[in-house]
Amino acid sequence: QLQVVESGGGLVQPGGSLRLSCAASGSTLDVYVMGWFRQAPGKEREGVSCISSDGGSTNYADSVKGRFTIARDNGKNTVYLQMNSLKPEDTAVYFCAARNPDFYCSMNVRYNYWGQGTQVTVSS
């Protein structure tokens, strides 16, 4: 079974940056599609970004497009979410998730494996 663990969350001022990491371990024979999701207080969980198995296809929520960048290092079994120009509205618990290998990715599909989440707080 695949395990995914997020790290890198914390407190940052508006306009600041954070880089989240998601390390996969266990069943790493397959190169999974990876996604980042977030859930803010009182809101539904939403997709933030995803990346295909080979890294050639990415998608972003409109709210983060141009500010966030997803990338992966398959040699390290790790996916990253670089978050720049952070806004208070970005405050949420961020989850990393994995699903079946594919050359494309979507945030509107079932993800099989989920991390525990890492808190991102954007506040002055």
Side-chain angles (χ1 to χ4, degrees):
Q1 187 178 72
L2 184 73
Q3 294 88 47
V4 293
V5 179
E6 308 96 332
S7 63
L11 174 65
V12 65
Q13 296 185 45
S17 298
L18 284 173
R19 188 178 77 160
L20 305 183
S21 298
C22 175
S25 63
S27 299
T28 55
L29 178 62
D30 293 322
V31 183
Y32 295 87
V33 168
M34 304 296 294
W36 286 99
F37 299 79
R38 68 185 182 186
Q39 187 164 22
K43 293 190 174 183
E44 301 288 337
R45 186 173 64 195
E46 64 175 344
V48 177
S49 185
C50 64
I51 187 166
S52 62
S53 297
D54 64 351
S57 179
T58 59
N59 282 291
Y60 298 91
D62 289 341
S63 59
V64 307
K65 191 172 296 184
R67 300 187 297 120
F68 291 11
T69 303
I70 191 169
R72 68 189 303 159
D73 184 339
N74 287 345
K76 296 182 178 180
N77 296 316
T78 301
V79 64
Y80 306 94
L81 185 68
Q82 178 67 48
M83 305 186 296
N84 298 326
S85 302
L86 283 162
K87 305 175 180 180
E89 308 95 273
D90 297 317
T91 296
V93 177
Y94 284 71
F95 298 91
C96 179
R99 61 165 284 114
N100 295 342
D102 207 329
F103 290 114
Y104 300 92
C105 79
S106 172
M107 292 173 286
N108 195 31
V109 294
R110 174 177 56 85
Y111 281 73
N112 307 99
Y113 306 100
W114 291 81
Q116 298 299 308
T118 185
Q119 176 71 47
V120 172
T121 302
V122 185
S123 176
S124 60

